[in-house]
């Protein structure tokens, strides 16, 4: 039967059912363009731009480069996917939304709150709206609000994360939601991607492995730390953000903190320091204390996005062939 679901409009432009996850201070123009021209949805947080003017410039540059790729190759690239923080703490929400409405992206992911306030204008602009959710209750609310798709943040996702087992979470959500589901957490290769599909997902996030690519904006030390680390080096803590966050133990130690003796919830306010005077050498979360997911065990080198996607595609095809033989 023909595909008539929400993803039908661009499914033939996807090499893999994969989103290069939107990552704070990591996802930029180079990473998004490289992902999209390789048939992977390229996502980025709008707050990675210093202001709305830069967001407008980024979107224009991405569009121009992907159109040039399409003209040269004869194949349209995968969609770009801005990630919009909808929490009231995002003072730029209205301005960033206005920029997105002008550029008309095919997909927008909302995070840290209900997608309800932005659904109508984004739908009017032709965008699918996917909502980040970390619990079954959040998923029910986002679905009731009219989200087109749900991104399930499960245990093992890098940065601010979920806590539910992905098998339980996906199957519970499939009980009441028949739209696109994106699995976030633990997708380290094409085998895991194929397993996510078998579980009932339409797409999956891959984040940590894209941090360790040449095109990411991450510090080279960060990339090398991921290569050297395993899942055992990931620490789930509320000390830095007040929310459950997966961080790299070696980066915590390098910042002069003891990973096994961190203060109480949200007590380390290093993310709000101003880099002036006596504070200029204090560590900052995300800049000096880095996040990572359980899939860091799959990071074995710093690759170009071309190579990472090619390897993942080979693994995905091998996993698909094995499933057909069972």
């Amino acid at each position: 039967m023909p595909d008539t679901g929400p993803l039908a409009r661009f499914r033939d432009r996807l090499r893999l059912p994969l989103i290069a996850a939107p990552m704070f201070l990591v996802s930029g123009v180079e990473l998004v363009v490289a992902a999209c021209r390789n048939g992977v949805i390229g996502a980025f947080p709008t707050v990675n731009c210093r202001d709305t003017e830069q967001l407008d410039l980024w979107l224009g540059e991405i569009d121009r480069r992907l159109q040039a790729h399409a003209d040269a190759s004869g194949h349209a690239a995968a969609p770009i996917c801005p990630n919009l923080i909808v929490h009231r703490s995002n003072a730029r929400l209205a301005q960033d939304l206005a920029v997105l409405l002008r550029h008309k992206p095919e997909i927008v992911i909302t995070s840290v709150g209900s997608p309800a306030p932005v659904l109508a204008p984004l739908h009017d602009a032709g965008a699918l709206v996917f909502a980040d959710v970390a619990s079954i209750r959040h998923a029910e609310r986002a679905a009731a609000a009219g989200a087109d798709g749900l991104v399930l943040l499960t245990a093992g996702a890098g940065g601010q994360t979920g806590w539910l087992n992905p098998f339980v979470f996906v199957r519970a959500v499939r009980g009441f939601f028949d739209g696109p589901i994106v699995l976030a957490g633990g997708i380290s290769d094409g085998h895991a991607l194929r397993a996510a599909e078998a579980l009932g997902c339409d797409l999956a996030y891959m984040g940590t492995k894209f941090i360790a690519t040449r095109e990411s904006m991450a510090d080279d030390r960060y990339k090398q730390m991921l290569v050297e680390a395993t899942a055992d080096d990931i620490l789930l803590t509320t000390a830095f953000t007040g929310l459950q966050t997966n961080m790299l133990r070696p980066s915590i130690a390098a910042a002069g903190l003891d990973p096994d003796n961190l203060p109480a919830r949200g007590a380390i306010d290093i993310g709000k320091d101003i880099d002036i005077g006596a504070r200029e050498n204090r560590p900052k979360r995300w800049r000096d204390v880095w996040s990572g997911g359980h899939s860091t065990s799959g990071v074995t080198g710093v690759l170009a996005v071309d190579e990472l996607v090619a390897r993942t595609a080979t693994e995905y095809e091998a996993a698909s062939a094995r499933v057909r033989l069972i």
Side-chain angles (χ1 to χ4, degrees), residues 45-287:
T46 63
V47 293
N48 275 1
C49 302
R50 65 177 177 269
D51 52 32
T52 53
E53 181 179 355
Q54 186 177 50
L55 175 59
D56 189 43
L57 292 173
W58 274 28
L59 289 168
E61 175 69 11
I62 292 168
D63 286 343
R64 284 190 293 274
R65 291 175 61 176
L66 292 180
Q67 185 58 55
H69 164 76
D71 292 343
S73 67
H75 301 288
I80 67 167
C81 181
N83 171 213
L84 193 60
I85 306 300
V86 293
H87 191 266
R88 61 181 178 276
S89 61
N90 181 9
R92 286 172 34 187
L93 174 57
Q95 294 90 336
D96 283 2
L97 175 61
V99 174
L100 297 188
L101 296 178
R102 289 201 302 272
H103 284 270
K104 300 183 182 300
E106 294 174 88
I107 319 173
V108 173
I109 294 172
T110 64
S111 297
V112 200
S114 171
V118 300
L119 275 170
L122 287 170
H123 281 162
D124 288 346
L128 295 174
V129 181
F130 289 9
D132 270 355
V133 293
S135 70
I136 295 169
R137 184 182 64 176
H138 292 156
E140 290 172 337
R141 290 178 174 177
D148 301 293
L150 300 176
V151 180
L152 308 190
L153 302 177
T154 70
Q160 292 181 351
T161 186
W163 50 88
L164 290 175
N165 176 287
F167 291 94
V168 172
F169 201 1
V170 172
R171 297 316 304 163
V173 172
R174 267 291 171 241
F176 61 84
F177 184 71
D178 60 4
I181 287 179
V182 184
L183 177 61
I187 304 298
S188 63
D189 59 22
H191 298 277
L193 179 59
R194 186 66 184 88
E197 282 190 311
L199 190 57
C201 300
D202 300 275
L203 299 163
Y205 267 12
M206 181 178 283
T208 302
K209 292 188 80 169
F210 277 102
I211 299 173
T213 58
R214 295 173 193 160
E215 291 88 350
S216 94
M217 298 192 301
D219 188 295
D220 287 342
R221 297 169 299 161
Y222 185 2
K223 298 177 186 182
Q224 188 57 38
M225 187 175 289
L226 287 171
V227 172
E228 296 170 357
T230 71
D232 288 345
D233 294 304
I234 301 301
L235 175 67
L236 182 64
T237 177
T238 61
F240 296 96
T241 69
L243 300 173
Q244 297 275 13
T245 308
N246 276 322
M247 309 295 283
L248 280 162
R249 282 177 170 270
S251 72
I252 297 171
L257 301 167
D258 182 355
D260 295 315
N261 291 285
L262 293 174
R265 185 185 187 99
I268 302 176
D269 199 22
I270 59 177
K272 295 182 180 179
D273 287 344
I274 300 172
D275 287 331
I276 58 175
R279 293 180 173 184
E280 65 182 359
N281 293 320
R282 289 185 63 181
K284 285 174 162 289
R285 65 173 182 249
W286 315 126
R287 188 196 69 183

